[in-house]
Amino acid sequence: MFLDTVLTRNPELVDAAAALHRRGEIPPDTYVMDLDAVEANAELLAAEAQRLGLSLWFVVKQFGRNPELIRAVARHIPKYAAIDPAEARILHATGARAGNLGHLVQIPRRALPEMLAWRPETVTVYDLANARAVSEAAQRLGLVQDILVRLEGAEGTVYPGQEGGVPLPRLDAFAEAAERLPGIRIAGVTAFPCVLCDPATGTPYATPNLTLVLKARELLAAPGHEDLKLSAPSATSMASLPLLAAHGATHGEPGHALTGTTPLHALDPGQPEKPAYVYVNEIAHTLDDGRPALYGGGFYARSHIGSALLPRIGARLGVQGAPAENIDYYRLLDAPTDGQDVRLGDTALLAFRTQIFVTRSTVAVVAGLSSGTPRLCGLHDAQGRAL
C-alpha cells in the first residue's frame, strides 16, 4: 500500500532497514521505524493544530506503543489518547501526559483509582454505569473528573467490536442523571470514526458521526457549558485538521499521520507527513510451484498490501491474499519470473497499513536517518517492551 510512497519519500529508511536485516541485527517480522521522521511529523501536526486553534491527543497503538517513539512525539504533542488500559499504563510510564482515557475501551472499574490519580484531562464514558463508576472513584480521590460522552455511532458507521455509546435521543436523560453525580463534570462529546478517507482519492471527509456529535454538543450547551470539547478522532492528519477546525471540533487524535501512513499518503506521496516505517521480512521457504513464503506474525487484515521488494535481486513480487480467520504463520508471494533467483533468507521489504499492537512483530527504532548517520536505538516487542 505504501511501498511506492516510502521508496519515493524515504529511501534512506528502506536502505537502512535492508542493511540491518542483511547484517542480522533485526529478525524477520520486524517493523523498522524512522525516529527522526516520526518526530518531524509530530512537530508539523502540532504547529498546524496550533495555527488552527485545535488541540491534539496523540495515539500510539499503530506503532506498537513504543517508548522511544512516544517520547519523540510527546516533545511536540504532550498529551495522549489511550485506547485501552494497557496502553495507558505504557504511556504514563514513559512520561507522557493523559489527555483522554477510555477512548475506545472503557476503563475497568477496579483500574479507575489508579488512572484517575494521574489527573487525566478527560475520561470517555459510554453509559451511565461507567459515568457512575468514574464519579465514585473520583470522589474517593477527592476529585471532580471531566468526562467526554461517547455518542452511539450513526447507523452503518460503527466497526464490529466497537459498539457502544449514548444514543442521541437519550442524551438529555443521560446528561440529567450524570450531572447529579458529584464526582464528574460533562466536559464534551466524542464519537468514532468522525473522519475517514475516500477510498478512491484518499481525501478526508466528515462522517455522519461528526454531524451527530455537533448536534450533541448543541443539546448539551447551556449556561456554564458553552466551552464543551468536541473530539473528532480518526484520520487526523495535516490534510484533515482544517476540516476539523471548519466543523468546530476542539480536538484531533493523530495516529497514522505520525508515521505518514493514512490512506491519503498511499495515494499522494506529496503529503507533508513523511512515511516513517517499513516492514522487514525474509524468505522462509519456497513452494514446489515456485511461490516464495514469508514469515508471518506482522500481517494485518485491513493492510491492503500490494507487493514486496526483494533488494538483492531488485524484484517486486505481488503479495497474495490470505483469509483473516487463519493464523498468519506464513504469507505467500507470487512466483518469480524466469531468471529471478529467489533464495532462502532473502530480505523482503513491504510497507502497508498496520496496527502493530495486535501483531507478534518486533519493532526496531532507527535514529539519525535525517543526518545521514543511522543508528539502531533498540528493539521492542509489539507492546513496547524492550527486547
Side-chain angles (χ1 to χ4, degrees), residues 35-299:
L35 181 69
D36 300 3
V38 169
E39 180 159 3
N41 291 339
E43 186 174 14
L44 274 176
L45 289 158
E48 179 68 356
Q50 183 177 35
R51 185 184 74 82
L52 294 168
L54 292 165
S55 298
L56 298 178
W57 295 321
F58 70 94
V59 178
V60 302
K61 61 189 175 73
Q62 69 289 341
F63 60 62
R65 301 167 171 174
N66 186 277
E68 297 280 355
L69 302 177
I70 290 169
R71 282 188 282 268
V73 173
R75 284 193 279 270
H76 306 279
I77 305 172
K79 293 185 179 182
Y80 60 81
I83 66 112
D84 63 19
E87 184 165 289
R89 290 187 177 100
I90 293 167
L91 285 153
H92 178 71
T94 307
R97 294 161 55 193
N100 184 21
L101 305 181
H103 164 64
L104 287 179
V105 178
Q106 293 287 269
I107 304 171
R109 181 170 53 85
R110 293 176 183 83
L112 281 166
E114 170 197 2
M115 295 188 180
L116 296 189
W118 304 342
R119 304 303 303 269
E121 184 178 344
T122 61
V123 171
T124 294
V125 298
Y126 282 43
D127 57 19
L128 192 59
N130 275 280
R132 189 175 292 114
V134 173
S135 175
E136 291 169 357
Q139 277 188 281
R140 287 194 292 271
L141 293 168
L143 308 173
V144 175
Q145 176 62 56
D146 280 357
I147 65 167
L148 295 183
V149 182
R150 157 78 175 240
L151 273 294
E152 183 180 64
E155 186 175 356
T157 67
V158 179
Y159 298 120
Q162 297 186 24
E163 300 87 354
V166 178
L168 187 63
R170 297 186 59 188
L171 180 60
D172 282 341
F174 171 89
E176 184 179 350
E179 286 172 353
R180 292 198 295 266
L181 300 173
I184 60 172
R185 184 183 80 93
I186 294 176
V189 292
T190 189
F192 189 89
C194 290
V195 178
L196 290 175
C197 294
D198 182 273
T201 66
T203 304
Y205 67 91
T207 73
N209 291 333
L210 185 50
T211 302
L212 186 150
V213 289
L214 287 166
K215 290 178 180 176
R217 185 168 63 176
E218 289 175 11
L219 288 172
L220 292 174
H225 286 83
E226 298 90 348
D227 60 343
L228 289 173
K229 296 177 172 67
L230 193 162
S231 183
S234 187
T236 304
S237 67
M238 292 290 285
S240 66
L241 287 174
L243 182 152
L244 296 185
H247 280 78
T250 62
H251 288 70
E253 301 182 12
H256 271 284
L258 297 168
T259 49
T261 51
T262 75
L264 178 57
H265 292 84
L267 296 170
D268 181 6
Q271 285 300 302
E273 300 97 333
K274 189 175 186 179
Y277 68 75
V278 66
Y279 181 63
V280 180
N281 215 308
E282 71 179 57
I283 303 301
H285 62 276
T286 300
L287 276 63
D288 190 58
D289 63 11
R291 288 178 293 166
L294 302 178
Y295 289 100
F299 295 101

Side-chain angles (χ1 to χ4, degrees), residues 327-384:
I327 299 171
D328 65 326
Y329 294 111
Y330 299 102
R331 194 64 178 265
L332 293 174
L333 303 180
D334 291 341
T337 59
D338 291 341
Q340 292 180 322
D341 178 26
V342 176
R343 301 174 188 171
L344 178 70
D346 271 352
T347 302
L349 301 176
L350 305 90
F352 49 83
R353 187 170 176 83
T354 188
Q355 296 286 342
I356 293 176
F357 82 113
V358 298
T359 72
R360 307 190 299 276
S361 302
T362 298
V363 178
V365 178
V366 175
L369 282 168
S370 61
S371 60
T373 55
R375 65 185 185 281
L376 180 62
C377 297
L379 302 178
H380 293 77
D381 70 10
Q383 301 302 319

